[in-house]
Amino acid sequence: MKVDDFCRVRDVTESLTRNLCREDQVVQSMPDASPTKWHRAHTTWFFETFLLEPHEPAFCPHHPAYRSLFNSYYNAVGPQFSRAHRGTLSRPTVDEVTSYRRAVDERVVELLGTFAADDPRWAIVELGLHHEQQHQELLITDIKHALLANPLRPALFTDPLPAASSEGASFVRLDGGTVSIGHDPARGFSFDNETPRHEVLVQPFELSRRVVTCGEVLAFIEAGGYTTPALWLSDGWAHISEHAIHAPLYWFERDEAWFEATLHGVTPLDSARPACHLSFYEADAFATWAGARLPTEQEWEHAATQLRDSAGVFQDDATFHPLGVLHPGATGEGDTDALFGDVWEWTSSAYGPYPRFRALPGALGEYNGKFMSGQRVLRGGSVATPRDHIRPTYRNFFQPDKRWQFTGARLARDL
């Protein structure tokens, strides 16, 4: 970990706002999302609160009110401004948030210059940078929701998306046995929810060589998948009935043709592309209809360590939409398409603690552990995930009805 790493990640966040105007950065289109301006300020608040405040000599807050305005959910730090009303904050302005970022960055860089290479405080910096990368992903998905909630459906990028290519679905067999799951501390950084490493029993199973495509979901729709309650979990059926959901988010039908709204504009639905913006409920119902199931997170992680993997599409590629299931380098009889990138893959596993899990001490212990209820695990990363942020043990998690993230599905089958 170096000062250059800090500057690089902080600069990436700013680069993601390059095509946004000031008005874009203040919009909050739903309670689950946050304005771009808030993401930029909150990630700055993290370094001010957890690094500068306890370790900077003669610390003085940049602005006392920011302590609550940009506190997300850390009760040990103090009160928070209502998440659902972050879009009502016209002040501080976008320019003032930019000044806040610059001022805190200067102070952090100065402080880091006093750290020895083995200073344990580098661990706070590393956690803060991975935290910022998570918010980079949220910044992308939140601004996509804001823009596409607009009836104009404005395009953020003018270049067209390339056509995708796809092969028929096939499965690869994976042997089971007692396997090790979880992060090995010798392999560098991880979040606390990836630990401790432990052994589980995995039965032999089959895993699809690619994720579910738009064409397959379209077939599900045309077969009455969204109107057949037997395919759905009870909560899922209640949810889609209450909200009149009949297709993935950002899909719509016009003149008997299907279209998908993307950050590159509205495009005809490409049947070869990975289906994204599926809720867990939709992914599970599709798997049932297809005569398969979703993998457990243990099966997914086992597969990720056993199969050769090609390079998927990540944030670094600046495409911000999954391009297809076949990628350069995906050759060989035993290969699958990319297990990493393109779309987060829902698993059937509830998000809970590993055996002997212990949260971090203090306020940072609120980072993951307190959310281990009512959520499902996703694996693999997406087009909004930085390439150097993901790893086989990474555990993402969302409530089963959420679908504004780039979420999709890969099927599994019992042998």
Side-chain angles (χ1 to χ4, degrees):
M1 182 57 55
K2 301 176 182 178
V3 174
D4 288 348
D5 297 316
F6 173 82
C7 296
R8 175 182 59 82
V9 172
R10 296 284 285 169
D11 288 346
V12 168
T13 302
E14 294 303 284
S15 74
L16 294 174
T17 69
R18 189 174 295 127
N19 288 8
L20 301 180
C21 64
R22 282 181 171 81
E23 289 82 355
D24 292 332
Q25 293 204 41
V26 301
V27 174
Q28 181 180 22
S29 52
M30 64 170 175
D32 285 330
S34 297
T36 298
K37 178 181 72 172
W38 188 90
H39 286 299
R40 295 174 62 221
H42 167 70
T43 50
T44 305
W45 169 95
F46 188 96
F47 286 107
E48 182 180 32
T49 301
F50 294 116
L51 188 65
L52 293 182
E53 183 174 340
H55 301 295
E56 183 185 45
F59 169 81
C60 181
H62 182 85
H63 192 301
Y66 289 5
R67 186 175 181 86
S68 61
L69 283 182
F70 301 123
N71 179 3
S72 54
Y73 51 71
Y74 295 91
N75 295 313
V77 173
Q80 308 103 39
F81 186 80
S82 168
R83 176 179 179 178
H85 297 95
R86 290 169 183 168
T88 66
L89 295 172
S90 61
R91 305 297 177 93
T93 66
V94 171
D95 287 343
E96 288 172 325
V97 168
T98 299
S99 297
Y100 178 41
R101 286 182 66 88
R102 289 174 179 167
V104 169
D105 284 356
E106 289 175 0
R107 293 165 63 181
V108 169
V109 168
E110 183 177 358
L111 177 64
L112 297 183
T114 67
F115 288 8
D118 59 350
D119 194 309
R121 292 175 293 181
W122 282 111
I124 303 173
V125 180
E126 190 169 31
L127 176 61
L129 294 180
H130 282 271
H131 165 261
E132 179 135 355
Q133 288 183 311
Q134 290 181 315
H135 277 273
Q136 290 170 2
E137 182 158 1
L138 290 169
L139 187 156
I140 294 165
T141 54
D142 291 1
I143 194 61
K144 178 175 183 176
H145 191 274
L147 292 175
L148 299 187
N150 185 327
L152 298 176
R153 294 192 177 100
L156 193 58
F157 307 105
T158 57
D159 53 315
L161 288 168
S165 59
S166 175
E167 290 183 345
S170 62
F171 286 75
V172 59
R173 174 179 173 137
L174 289 118
D175 293 330
T178 300
V179 301
S180 294
I181 296 297
H183 183 72
D184 180 353
R187 299 182 68 86
F189 175 84
S190 76
F191 289 112
D192 59 357
N193 66 354
E194 301 170 55
T195 63
R197 191 165 173 83
H198 60 287
E199 292 185 337
V200 299
L201 177 63
V202 172
Q203 299 294 334
F205 68 103
E206 290 183 322
L207 188 70
S208 176
R209 294 184 185 273
R210 60 165 172 77
V211 294
V212 173
T213 65
C214 291
E216 290 170 326
V217 174
L218 183 58
F220 173 72
I221 293 172
E222 293 174 341
Y226 280 86
T227 59
T228 306
L231 298 174
W232 295 79
L233 295 170
S234 178
D235 286 348
W237 180 252
H239 179 75
I240 68 166
S241 299
E242 178 183 355
H243 297 279
I245 293 171
H246 62 277
L249 185 64
Y250 307 131
W251 288 29
F252 65 95
E253 191 176 16
R254 184 173 60 199
D255 298 329
E256 298 184 349
W258 282 91
F259 296 84
E260 185 176 17
T262 77
L263 287 172
H264 294 258
V266 173
T267 66
L269 190 69
D270 188 332
S271 62
R273 284 200 188 111
C276 61
H277 302 296
L278 299 175
S279 69
F280 168 80
Y281 294 139
E282 291 169 298
D284 181 80
F286 175 87
T288 300
W289 174 78
R293 59 176 176 81
L294 300 178
T296 67
E297 67 166 320
Q298 292 84 5
E299 288 173 333
W300 193 99
E301 186 173 323
H302 176 54
T305 62
Q306 297 297 308
L307 300 173
R308 287 185 294 167
D309 187 61
S310 60
V313 180
F314 287 94
Q315 179 199 112
D316 315 53
D317 302 304
T319 300
F320 306 119
H321 199 80
L323 294 182
V325 298
L326 297 179
H327 303 279
T331 59
E333 191 66 27
D335 288 358
T336 63
D337 78 294
L339 281 161
F340 299 94
D342 281 312
V343 293
W344 284 102
E345 300 178 16
W346 285 106
T347 73
S348 63
S349 298
Y351 177 55
Y354 284 162
R356 306 183 311 281
F357 168 78
R358 292 291 183 272
L360 295 172
L364 288 175
E366 299 186 64
Y367 198 100
N368 285 308
K370 72 180 186 179
F371 297 110
M372 291 176 173
S373 175
Q375 313 211 50
R376 295 281 175 168
V377 175
L378 303 102
R379 294 296 192 113
S382 78
V383 295
T385 309
R387 183 174 276 105
D388 65 356
H389 181 65
I390 201 67
R391 53 197 162 271
T393 59
Y394 195 111
R395 307 174 77 202
N396 197 1
F397 51 94
F398 281 102
Q399 293 92 350
D401 63 302
K402 306 307 181 190
R403 56 186 195 154
W404 91 106
Q405 295 297 309
F406 289 95
T407 49
R410 185 186 301 268
L411 302 183
R413 295 191 307 209
D414 296 321
L415 289 174

